[in-house]
Amino acid sequence: MSFIFGVIDFSKKPVKPEEIRALAHAVKWEGFNEQIEVEEGCAIGYSGHPERNPKAGIFKNEELIVLADIRIYNAGELKKSVDFESPAEAFARAYLRWGVHCADRINGDFAVVVIDRAKNGVHLFRDQIGARPLTYCFHEKRLIFASHEFGIVKSGLVSPSLSEEKLIRRFFRFKEEYSQTVFHDIFKVVPGHSVSFLSDRKQITKYWRPEDIKQNKTLSFEDAAARLRQLLLAATLNRMEPGKTGAHVSGGIDSTGIASIVADQIGDKTELLGYSWSPEELTGEVEGVNEKEFIEAFSVEKGVPVKYLRLEENESVRDSLLPEFEQMHIEHPTMQMAGKDGVRVLFTGWGGDEFVSLSTRGTFNHLFFKFKWFTLLIFIRKVGIRSTVSRFRTDILPLLVPFGLIKPYQAQYTDWSKLRFLKALFILKHWKLLLFHERKNIFGYGNRTRFMLNLLENYHIPERMDNWGMHAERYRFEYKYPLLDKDLLEFWFSIPIEYTYRDMQSRFLFREAMKGILTEKVRVRKEKGEGLRIAYSRQNMRNGKSCLAQLFFAIPEKEQLSFFQPKAFENLINQLSEKHKIKEILDYQKL
């Protein structure tokens, strides 16, 4: 429960007290306390709510100053190599022994700043998956860092401007650079990396390299399932804390699996609450599977009450427009509920789709480009011709035909009609980026391991975690991601690749590992669909279209982006048919 922040001047000029106080005030939420320490050319600190134990701390000795927002899940293993009494000291001792690659020795959620007095250097670290956020700005021998970029901007210590390149990439669905925030010259530390500053020199080091993990060909399927089960239990148990606990329960095997482990291990069931993104009630028809029956099966079997979503009028639209809030409108009300309930930690199965419960996504691509034709025929027979044609269009065709010449699916297609929302001079200024760019593509020519690495390296996981980490603090709890545990992921990358699509059954290995733990009705369900939740989301979007238009028209012309064509957007609202209006508006409101 904490944020970190600081100002470091490499020319040893003193940091003014009002500067560090301004940064502390801008980073923290209302009601937070802060702890600040000032030395020559350096002012650092952390903040948190007084009713929650801080997860940040400062360790100092003659060689180092370490400011760490950190939770360590392999403390016992780490103590075999270094002695420490606090998590911040653990990182300090690890750094002194192993240097910038020390972070690879720690299984945890962390954002850490190490000030090396002897070498006059500063190193910024994030955990391998990015559970804890960390951003920075370096200008004229001065480093300003904070848990989130909005704190740096609000502090007034920098002159902010929007990153036009970031906006273009997001607007046209080009491949984005995760490290670039929406603000020019303010960057995120990339998960699994360290960013070092030695005087005027900046160096980025990748300390976590899952691509180098070798597959264990001697591992049997049964042993893989047993070991996976063991690591799932350990990853969840290591993250449990005393007090009120929450868990996402979608009715799918990821979140419900983690919730099942927590429910089986928690001592007092009255201290556990489930939270669903599905609505409390919904009028009208639902296409596909109604996930509520699976949620209720879990609730009855495990004795855990589950709270369903109930959005206020236009709440989905309002929250989706606030740039600091999670883009999934359904999560903010869940945060509010958890905060009111006094939850300390909220467990989620986020990340399971990409790794330990990976579906058959990417299997077609793997078999096609690895020339495993016989297995491919079995796969086609299993999924059917219609599904095969669909997978070919999305997985293979974009790699064979240059992008832009086909429209296999929206994520790979550039809608050039969006140019009408931008002024001509702005388009001319960025013509190179508009014409020469990379598009998003999680599929590739490599095997299924490469597919998983692509999922990891497009950084959509930490993008969401950045928002969740920032705003959960506001409601005095924090998220836990057992399915993204470092030990668990490293084992997953060592599993023979064919086990991940065993018998062509989706998530078969994970289902085997969760026998006897996960509610059986959920464990054997054949599809992942959440028809009720999707229908509810669509309904709220439709209902919110007038609110969205009102919010847009309420923005004074002088506050519009200088390169934006507000009249074009106004014409869109006024001219499009009722059927397509909300889809178009929600698409273009990203600017």
Side-chain angles (χ1 to χ4, degrees), residues 513-579:
M514 293 298 289
K515 276 185 177 179
I517 298 175
L518 176 57
T519 300
E520 190 66 11
K521 183 172 183 175
V522 178
R523 192 185 73 85
V524 300
R525 66 175 294 192
K526 294 188 179 298
E527 58 178 284
K528 184 185 182 329
E530 297 175 73
L532 191 66
R533 178 188 68 78
I534 293 171
Y536 190 55
S537 296
R538 288 175 177 170
Q539 181 187 85
N540 279 280
M541 289 178 182
R542 287 193 298 270
N543 294 342
K545 62 180 180 290
S546 59
C547 173
L548 187 59
Q550 291 169 9
L551 290 171
F552 172 76
F553 290 130
I555 300 173
E557 187 173 345
K558 65 180 180 180
E559 293 182 13
Q560 296 283 358
L561 296 176
S562 61
F563 51 82
F564 185 50
Q565 293 274 32
K567 286 295 181 183
F569 194 90
E570 183 177 340
N571 290 338
L572 174 71
I573 294 175
N574 293 331
Q575 294 175 8
L576 287 176
S577 67
E578 203 63 27
K579 180 179 179 181

Side-chain angles (χ1 to χ4, degrees), residues 276-299:
S276 170
W277 289 336
S278 300
E280 193 172 57
E281 55 185 38
L282 176 70
T283 57
E285 296 183 0
V286 175
E287 296 181 9
V289 176
N290 185 332
E291 67 277 10
K292 207 164 184 177
E293 63 175 287
F294 298 102
I295 295 171
E296 291 174 353
F298 159 83
S299 179

